[in-house]
Amino acid sequence: HTSPPRGGAAPPFLPAVLPPSIMPRIAHVEITEPFPTRAGARYVEASLPRLQSGWRSTIFPSLLPSGRDEVFHVERWLEQALRAHADADEARERQARQNGRSQDGEGSVLEAFERAETLGAAFESLSTAMHELCRQATVECADRGRLLWRVWCLACHTQEQLLARTAHVRAQHTALMQGEETVIGGLRRELAAMQAQRDAERSRAE
């Protein structure tokens, strides 16, 4: 995970307070201007006549995020990302139904693994969006942004511990059930052997 934003002696409006954005390249918003008016602008020569040559700048994510536009871009990207994850999950389930996979066996194990990957990707998208929102909050108040990211990281850590404990309890329950089945199977075999021996003795007596 990315480290939480750290406040320091610098005023909250200085870029040194903000961590770099981790928004994916597909979420970036760029504009082309005739003159370099923004930090980090680069000149781009148009490859086609219909395209515009000029100085291209990234307006999102910005060095000092502020305003509602920044929030809008985060929300739009997050909705698109989660929709893509949901579509991938639906396509997987639809393919599984078409293949007629059983709920038990290798097919179900593969499906569970693929679903875990989808959920993991969705969680990464949520974490990326939260990181960007913390950057935006840090511009207004460094302490607030730092605390928001810390709370998020602690919540993630707590969830990981909960899932680990749940998996441990489930594994113990599975082992117990398997042990009981082994004992019951052994008793059934002994009972069957005793019944067979009794029937054999009865046959000899007759």
Side-chain angles (χ1 to χ4, degrees):
H1 297 292
T2 304
S3 299
R6 294 182 180 274
F13 56 84
L14 290 182
V17 175
L18 293 179
S21 176
I22 59 174
M23 293 294 293
R25 188 69 180 84
I26 193 175
H28 290 200
V29 179
E30 296 182 337
I31 61 172
T32 302
E33 300 174 308
F35 303 101
T37 61
R38 302 170 186 270
R42 63 190 187 281
Y43 187 77
V44 178
E45 187 71 34
S47 57
L48 297 174
R50 61 184 179 85
L51 299 180
Q52 178 186 2
S53 299
W55 294 88
R56 186 169 298 173
S57 304
T58 300
I59 61 174
F60 174 80
S62 60
L63 296 177
L64 288 175
S66 61
R68 295 181 177 178
D69 289 345
E70 299 276 347
V71 180
F72 167 75
H73 290 313
V74 175
E75 184 177 17
R76 182 179 64 176
W77 170 80
L78 180 60
E79 289 178 350
Q80 292 174 349
L82 294 180
R83 181 69 263 174
H85 299 321
D87 291 343
D89 200 37
E90 292 175 2
R92 177 192 59 77
E93 293 181 357
R94 184 167 55 253
Q95 186 65 36
R97 289 194 297 268
Q98 291 176 354
N99 295 340
R101 292 179 180 174
S102 172
Q103 294 299 318
D104 299 318
E106 182 179 357
S108 62
V109 173
L110 179 60
E111 292 166 17
F113 179 74
E114 292 174 346
R115 180 169 178 80
E117 285 189 330
T118 301
L119 293 176
F123 180 81
E124 286 297 327
S125 297
L126 292 171
S127 184
T128 299
M130 187 63 182
H131 181 270
E132 188 62 27
L133 292 176
C134 288
R135 291 182 72 246
Q136 298 176 13
T138 302
V139 174
E140 298 296 332
C141 178
D143 290 336
R144 182 181 297 117
R146 175 178 52 79
L147 181 58
L148 283 173
W149 184 246
R150 182 184 179 191
V151 169
W152 170 255
C153 291
L154 289 174
C156 295
H157 180 65
T158 302
Q159 182 190 39
E160 290 176 357
Q161 288 184 322
L162 179 61
L163 292 176
R165 292 184 180 182
T166 301
H168 179 66
V169 171
R170 184 176 300 173
Q172 287 183 326
H173 176 71
T174 301
L176 179 62
M177 294 297 295
Q178 291 176 346
E180 291 180 352
E181 291 178 358
T182 301
V183 172
I184 293 175
L187 292 176
R188 287 177 177 174
R189 287 191 295 272
E190 291 181 5
L191 181 61
M194 292 175 60
Q195 185 65 37
Q197 182 180 2
R198 184 179 302 174
D199 293 341
E201 294 176 350
R202 184 179 301 171
S203 298
R204 288 195 298 268
E206 292 177 352

